[in-house]
Amino acid sequence: MEKVRVRFAPSPTGKLHIGGARTALFNWLLARHTGGTFVLRIEDTDTERSTQASVDQIISSLKWLGLDWDEGPEIGGEYGPYFQSQRLHLYEEKAQELIDKGLAYLCYCTPEELEAKREEARRQGKAPRYDGHCRNLTDQDRVRLAAEGRQPVVRLKVPAEGETVVDDIIRGRVVFKNEVLDDFIIVKSNGMPTYNYACVIDDYAMKLTHIIRAEEHLSNTPRQILLYQALGYELPQFAHVPMILAPDRSKLSKRHGATSVEEFREEGYLPEAIINYLALLGWSPEGTDEVMPIERIVEEFSIDRVSKTAAIYDVKKLAWINGHYLRELPLERIVAEVIPFMQKHGLLAASPEPAKLELLTKAVDLTRDRAKTLEELVDVVSYFFSDDFEYEEKGVRKHFVPAGAGEILRQAKEIIASVEPFEHQVIEEVYRTRAEELGIKPAKLIHPTRLAVSGRTIGPGLFELVELLGREKSLERIDRAISFIEQELPAQIAANDNK
RNA sequence: GACCCUAUGGUCAAGAGGUUAAGACAUCGCCCUUUCAAGGCGGUAACGGGGGUUCGAAUCCCCCUAGGGUCACCA
């Protein structure tokens, strides 16, 4: 079998969409699985909407995900250039050939005229198709039309009869009647090729063997096949992967929250998790393991196991997988990942001191199985880095308001002030002994302390928390809590009573 | 509107004529436990509807319904 060559061909008109990322992933997986070649090609023929910023953005997202390409921007390759805007001569040349052979023709109809005809067709309830108005123009006609200042487009002559068959790896044999197609435009009046045309020219020129793309292109495929035939090109294999839908079954858009890889990154998702989740959306491994590293996905990937049905993406499952990687990946890696997020929240300096990094490492170690994203991780370690926190209201009611709360904290303070060595096993031992002496449950001592030193009712084991926080800081916070209980709290309660 | 694709729990999804219809997320309960997580165990929950074919249909065929996609000088 010939060596697999596949491509991802985004148009740079925005960020890398989650659906686009999955299309890229499936192409990349097939290439890596078979030892083939993964090509990145930028389809920037829409001069109105394409931007360099989008190119940069898409490239950066692909790299971040780890989807590296063997040919394409930045690295070149045998079949470049890999920007369609730099391949215009090719499209022109082939278009001229088609015209010369009588397989395509110049059309001078203006967008306005066409729009009017479409409108008319719609009103009559007919399919809005091009009527072949310019199909049989004489040279004389063309001269006259050009003299009117009309810039022609090039249209392909589509046979009125017969059918065009798409042999799709995922969907099987899909038949389209040629009569439902019309003479579509292959070169715009500004000289730029249209998608269906440029795509065919390049896919062939770049010797691609498999065209794996989203299902929305299935209906375009007969047009492309007609083009392959007109050009005398051999067909590649097609595989149309199902779409990714929003929870309400509609097309994914901004109002559904994060839709681009960049946004997920900003929300604190790891590339490993996104890749793993995306692979599972539309593809399934043979066994029942779902969480698997990229190497294994590469090993097991097969187009045959890609499903036909559109999938609704489920952030909850993504979050769960992310949580998994958050606690399973090496600690240093997670620390490195969370640093920018800490900085963003002002909890860490731009160039943090080694002591702070050590604290962060230990804090992450202690808390990471409680977070699902890096943003959550920041939240869950925040009190190690800032004294500026409020007490959780629910906790205050439960642990600070009841009579004797201050006394409980004085007991805690005494223990923490004197325990030696200041290690969690020892602190715990003393806590438990003291509770017994006082004839109360250890929890009676533990919860108020936790609230005092962290402001929270939830978190890692209290004794490890206190050890990491340190004796000094713990005592300081307990003092603060005692004065809160004995001074601020009564005042607050009085104020509420007066209302 | 025309054409095309699709249809298994709330979501992802296995299944390719005979299964007690997997598994995962979510959800609920229990265990563990200083809390919350994590982890372990268990529960609730599905073949869109109607016709065929067959000894036998989630699996094959037809119709309906529903959802999605395409009909651009966007890709």
Side-chain angles (χ1 to χ4, degrees), chain A residues 35 105 171 273 385 403 407 431 463:
Chain A
Y105 60 93
R171 278 151 224 285
F385 295 84
E407 186 46 41
Y431 252 79
F463 309 109

Side-chain angles (χ1 to χ4, degrees), chain A residues 420-434:
Chain A
E420 281 301 340
F422 197 71
E423 287 166 7
H424 67 88
Q425 299 92 331
V426 186
I427 304 171
E428 173 160 11
E429 210 180 293
V430 179
Y431 252 79
R432 292 192 185 282
T433 311
R434 179 67 57 94

Side-chain angles (χ1 to χ4, degrees), chain A residues 397-433:
Chain A
R397 250 181 290 125
K398 212 163 163 188
H399 308 300
F400 284 180
V401 170
E407 186 46 41
I408 289 281
L409 283 185
R410 285 201 169 81
Q411 292 285 345
K413 184 181 168 184
E414 200 185 300
I415 298 170
I416 289 172
S418 61
V419 63
E420 281 301 340
F422 197 71
E423 287 166 7
H424 67 88
Q425 299 92 331
V426 186
I427 304 171
E428 173 160 11
E429 210 180 293
V430 179
Y431 252 79
R432 292 192 185 282
T433 311

Side-chain angles (χ1 to χ4, degrees), chain A residues 50-350:
Chain A
S50 299
T51 65
Q52 182 58 43
S54 292
V55 174
D56 296 342
Q57 177 63 234
I58 288 167
I59 284 181
S60 134
S61 287
L62 286 171
K63 283 184 182 169
W64 180 72
L65 288 172
L67 302 179
D68 56 332
W69 51 100
D70 307 301
E71 294 174 22
E74 295 185 357
I75 58 174
E78 213 180 315
Y79 303 92
Y82 294 90
F83 287 82
Q84 290 189 322
S85 59
Q86 295 168 23
R87 304 170 64 84
L88 300 181
H89 62 280
L90 227 187
Y91 312 129
E92 275 167 34
E93 194 181 299
K94 292 294 172 188
Q96 191 56 54
E97 263 180 54
L98 288 172
I99 293 172
D100 292 346
K101 286 186 188 158
L103 297 170
Y105 60 93
L106 295 175
C107 166
Y108 291 84
C109 297
T110 65
E112 294 72 30
E113 290 166 349
L114 295 170
E115 186 46 46
K117 283 183 188 174
R118 264 197 296 271
E119 198 44 53
E120 175 62 23
R122 259 193 293 269
R123 214 156 351 115
Q124 296 182 13
K126 288 197 207 138
R129 297 195 288 119
Y130 179 65
D131 60 3
H133 180 80
C134 297
R135 194 165 178 162
N136 298 308
L137 254 32
T138 61
D139 286 348
Q140 223 173 351
D141 293 331
R142 278 190 278 271
V143 170
R144 176 173 51 80
L145 262 5
E148 288 176 23
R150 291 169 183 254
Q151 290 294 318
V153 299
V154 181
R155 285 182 186 270
L156 185 79
K157 282 188 187 169
V158 172
E161 295 180 352
E163 47 192 33
T164 298
V165 177
V166 181
D167 236 312
D168 192 275
I169 299 176
I170 297 171
R171 278 151 224 285
R173 186 183 151 92
V174 184
V175 181
F176 294 83
K177 289 201 171 62
N178 288 340
E179 65 193 39
V180 307
L181 273 18
D182 63 358
D183 290 353
F184 59 94
I185 294 172
I186 61 175
V187 179
K188 309 177 207 173
S189 57
N190 66 1
M192 294 299 256
T194 57
Y195 162 72
N196 284 129
Y197 176 59
C199 167
V200 167
I201 297 290
D202 288 339
D203 286 343
Y204 181 78
M206 294 181 177
K207 294 197 160 51
L208 272 356
T209 56
H210 300 254
I211 306 303
I212 304 173
R213 64 196 359 168
E215 189 189 342
E216 54 186 314
H217 293 295
L218 182 58
S219 301
N220 279 319
T221 309
R223 282 174 242 280
Q224 295 183 16
I225 289 180
L226 254 10
L227 233 12
Y228 276 96
Q229 289 167 349
L231 290 158
Y233 292 169
E234 197 187 326
L235 291 179
Q237 293 226 248
F238 293 102
H240 288 90
V241 306
M243 311 254 314
I244 297 180
L245 268 26
D248 62 357
R249 292 215 142 269
S250 69
K251 208 166 175 174
L252 218 42
S253 71
K254 306 105 249 149
R255 76 193 156 87
H256 299 110
T259 57
S260 68
V261 171
E262 182 62 18
E263 288 168 290
F264 280 107
R265 178 184 186 169
E266 282 165 5
E267 289 185 9
Y269 290 90
L270 299 163
E272 283 88 344
I274 295 178
I275 289 286
N276 198 154
Y277 177 67
L278 249 26
L280 258 20
L281 213 53
W283 171 79
S284 61
E286 277 186 47
T288 55
D289 288 354
E290 296 201 342
V291 177
M292 51 176 85
I294 187 91
E295 297 78 26
R296 222 180 115 202
I297 297 174
V298 166
E299 203 178 302
E300 297 197 17
F301 185 77
S302 153
I303 286 196
D304 304 337
R305 295 190 63 84
V306 173
S307 80
K308 299 182 194 338
T309 34
I312 292 173
Y313 94 114
D314 177 13
V315 208
K316 288 246 183 67
K317 186 153 180 178
L318 205 212
W320 173 77
I321 293 183
N322 203 59
H324 169 86
Y325 283 100
L326 225 39
R327 54 184 181 269
E328 297 299 330
L329 255 15
L331 182 58
E332 305 70 45
R333 167 75 197 290
I334 301 304
V335 171
E337 292 285 353
V338 81
I339 287 173
F341 287 84
M342 293 292 289
Q343 290 164 332
K344 186 173 88 189
H345 287 272
L347 293 169
L348 205 60

